[in-house]
Amino acid sequence: MCGIIGAVGLNNIQNILLQSLKSMEYRGYDSAGICIQGEQHLHTRKAKGKLINLEHLLEQSPLTGSLGIGHTRWATHGVPEVRNAHPHQTESIAIVHNGIIENHKQLRESLSAAGATFDSDTDSETIPWLWQQEYTKNNNPEIAFHNTLNQLQGAFAIAGIQANEHKLWFARRGSPLLLAKGEAGVFVASDALAVGTVASHVIYLQEGQWGWSDLEHIHIFNEDGSQAAIQWEPMPEMVAATEKGPYAHYMLKEIHEQPRVFLDILNAYAPDKQHIHFPQAAFIENDPLPSRIIMVACGTSYHAALTARYWLERYLKIPVEVDVASEFRYRDPVIGDNTWFITLSQSGETADTLEALRLFKQQTPQNKTLVFCNVASSSMVRESDGVIELYAGPEIGVASTKAYTAQLLALALFSLKLASNANAMPPEETTKHIQYLFDASQGVESLLNNTPIFDKLTPLFSQSHGALFLGRGPCYPLALEGALKLKEISYLHAEGYPAGEMKHGPIALIDENLPVIVLALRQYHLDKVISNLHEVQARGAKVILITDIPEKEYPTNVDTIIHIPEGDFFSAPLLASIPLQYLAYNVARFKGTDVDQPRNLAKSVTVE
Ligand code: F6R
């Protein structure tokens, strides 16, 4: 959700800024801009639309200088137009901002009354004007910047430069920001991916920290103005992981990475195929089971949590609540003692999930918090008592695929671990389930080696006015996820429904142009799902059946069947996810949409 970069370099930094923005384009792609300090003035270039437009502009009128900032935008305040693109500036101060300034209206009024002239509709444009005002009032630039930050309400990561000082300023409150250094200079960025090729060391800034850097000095301050320690960590290896390789899209690459991701997770948490151990969540091992679990997440991560509820409740016999984060945090949730709070997030920065975690911790600090997360350096990881890392590697495609199945797999292991802690599953049964999870890696590999079977699904969507996905038990959230994937990247309306609920309304949608995707797996109420399938068939729908049952065992007379390898209670959803991902991918390609950067979306939703 907007990517920001700042650089103070040895040489011209225009291309470094552009390259960094390219690596962060997944965070927003409706406009982009950079500003570089010239000999006396700040020079800015901005373009509407994807980054390529800014690149073309810079080819025609390049910028030169060794101090600069850049931004790729996902609009919150103000339509995607050049005037709303960042950087925003006064004559002598320019900033890029990720987040939302909640008191921007009041600031705008008071700043306008004092002579500020605004060019954009954004909340962000108040920042350089406020900074300018403070700078005029204070001779001390640090005090001026700190005073500015103190007047901002809301969430922000900011990078800023001034025309007359060779310093890169930065601040973080509520949105991610890191500091990095390498031979080419010092950088601030929303994501380590942005500086992976130019930096060797990194500092993940803490909430409220701010400061400035030039080539010789780096100063980091805490929110209260006290000096913070500077502790560099080596930059994680990530360059190869962010290249598309032979694949047409990141999404396709990430779908194909799943067998490897499965093995990485299994080898990390259950290497001997018998015992499950989560080294970064010791309380799972040491604490007694809670009397209740609450799981909170958004989007695809929420769907993964919904599947886990079936696994956990069956064995633990304790209530497991699952909520979308934006609802949880505003509904005055009743929490109580002896509750574990679990967040799930690919990015670890999703604003609503992060705030739900903070609310929970504030209300019941005695309870334990656990996060399933793919980004080890993220805010959620830092703020939770325990972490189950997903080891999926950077996910660039906006539609989540490998991080979703990584969550499912890690949740399956977590459920098995707790079932064993609760003496609800004998060790030999645990071993059997773990073996099924290892087998799922091969099962997915075999499905991905035979992708032409998915091609026959696409024509069914050429005339369709939408799609309906049906499943029961853990396949119901899978149906929700299948529908979400399809609508995100093909812009086709799609609904996921519990198959048993279909006749209470959505059956009215069914006609000969509506593809209905039925998930019928041996593990989950097969007979009942097949009855629902017949009800749909009887109304003329175009049925696509995804199943692990041979047709001769269960004749369905469905024309389009995708057979998947058979899984057990825990592994079956992993296998069934693959056709859903491939279906969405193929339909999107058929419709000619932008698979990796679908309209209106961004990868990391750091505003609520
Ligand atoms: C869908 C998708 C989103 C995310 C959601 C939460 O393909 O990617 O629905 O799942 O925005 O993001 P994380 O998991 O980063 O918290």
Side-chain angles (χ1 to χ4, degrees), residues 80-136:
E81 284 295 344
V82 170
R83 72 193 156 83
N84 290 326
H86 295 220
H88 290 292
Q89 68 190 89
T90 65
E91 210 177 306
S92 58
I93 291 182
I95 62 97
V96 284
H97 166 225
N98 167 211
I100 291 185
I101 303 303
E102 284 167 1
N103 58 335
H104 69 102
K105 281 207 182 94
Q106 300 89 304
L107 289 173
R108 212 170 241 267
E109 275 164 25
S110 65
L111 290 163
S112 299
T117 50
F118 292 98
D119 294 326
S120 78
D121 308 321
T122 65
D123 53 332
S124 312
E125 201 187 356
T126 54
I127 302 170
W129 284 102
L130 187 60
W131 188 2
Q132 173 87 57
Q133 193 178 65
E134 287 301 323
Y135 196 66
T136 317

Side-chain angles (χ1 to χ4, degrees), residues 283-303:
F283 74 85
I284 297 176
E285 209 95 37
N286 302 331
D287 287 14
L289 275 181
S291 50
R292 181 167 164 235
I293 291 177
I294 301 176
M295 304 174 93
V296 167
C298 300
T300 290
S301 298
Y302 167 69
H303 296 156

Side-chain angles (χ1 to χ4, degrees), residues 40-307:
Q40 295 179 359
H41 298 287
L42 298 172
H43 300 287
T44 302
R45 304 277 184 273
K46 303 185 199 187
K48 181 178 162 179
K50 296 220 168 159
L51 196 60
I52 188 81
N53 299 341
L54 178 66
E55 281 184 66
H56 288 154
L57 183 64
L58 286 164
E59 273 161 25
Q60 288 154 21
S61 51
L63 294 177
T64 318
S66 57
L67 175 68
I69 51 178
H71 188 271
T72 179
R73 180 168 190 251
W74 185 87
T76 58
H77 293 68
V79 292
E81 284 295 344
V82 170
R83 72 193 156 83
N84 290 326
H86 295 220
H88 290 292
Q89 68 190 89
T90 65
E91 210 177 306
S92 58
I93 291 182
I95 62 97
V96 284
H97 166 225
N98 167 211
I100 291 185
I101 303 303
E102 284 167 1
N103 58 335
H104 69 102
K105 281 207 182 94
Q106 300 89 304
L107 289 173
R108 212 170 241 267
E109 275 164 25
S110 65
L111 290 163
S112 299
T117 50
F118 292 98
D119 294 326
S120 78
D121 308 321
T122 65
D123 53 332
S124 312
E125 201 187 356
T126 54
I127 302 170
W129 284 102
L130 187 60
W131 188 2
Q132 173 87 57
Q133 193 178 65
E134 287 301 323
Y135 196 66
T136 317
K137 275 197 232 160
N138 285 286
N139 281 335
N140 182 326
E142 281 173 8
I143 294 179
F145 191 59
H146 193 205
N147 281 355
T148 307
L149 302 177
N150 285 341
Q151 291 170 70
L152 300 177
Q153 287 166 17
F156 52 78
I158 298 168
I161 55 174
Q162 296 174 314
N164 59 355
E165 275 203 85
H166 202 73
K167 284 181 181 160
L168 174 63
W169 293 84
F170 52 85
R172 177 211 162 157
R173 192 199 300 158
S175 300
L177 195 66
L178 57 86
L179 201 57
K181 67 170 182 180
E183 281 175 11
V186 179
F187 312 93
V188 290
S190 303
D191 187 333
L193 288 179
V195 285
T197 52
V198 286
S200 55
H201 287 82
V202 64
I203 294 174
Y204 298 98
L205 293 170
Q206 304 295 313
E207 269 302 277
Q209 287 188 329
W210 59 279
W212 62 268
S213 174
D214 56 23
L215 278 181
E216 283 87 42
H217 313 91
I218 293 171
H219 289 279
I220 305 177
F221 303 97
N222 297 312
E223 195 157 13
D224 63 4
S226 59
Q227 194 99 25
I230 297 187
Q231 282 167 338
W232 292 103
E233 297 171 31
M235 178 67 93
E237 284 278 327
M238 63 181 67
V239 182
T242 59
E243 278 160 12
K244 241 188 303 195
Y247 296 98
H249 296 96
Y250 281 110
M251 181 177 176
L252 189 61
K253 173 185 179 234
E254 288 156 7
I255 289 174
H256 280 266
E257 282 172 350
Q258 290 173 107
R260 197 267 305 150
V261 172
F262 288 10
L263 291 181
D264 286 352
I265 295 172
L266 288 161
N267 288 325
Y269 297 129
D272 66 0
K273 303 191 176 177
Q274 289 175 22
H275 303 95
I276 299 165
H277 177 56
F278 298 111
Q280 296 177 82
F283 74 85
I284 297 176
E285 209 95 37
N286 302 331
D287 287 14
L289 275 181
S291 50
R292 181 167 164 235
I293 291 177
I294 301 176
M295 304 174 93
V296 167
C298 300
T300 290
S301 298
Y302 167 69
H303 296 156
L306 284 174
T307 293

Side-chain angles (χ1 to χ4, degrees), residues 297-302 344-350 353 380 395 397-401 403 407 481 484-485 488 601-605:
C298 300
T300 290
S301 298
Y302 167 69
L344 297 105
S345 178
Q346 189 287 126
S347 61
E349 301 293 350
T350 301
T353 313
M380 280 181 225
E395 192 179 61
V398 162
S400 184
T401 51
Q407 285 173 340
E481 176 58 10
L484 178 65
K485 225 56 335 152
E488 270 183 303
L601 289 171
K603 183 79 186 155
S604 182
V605 185

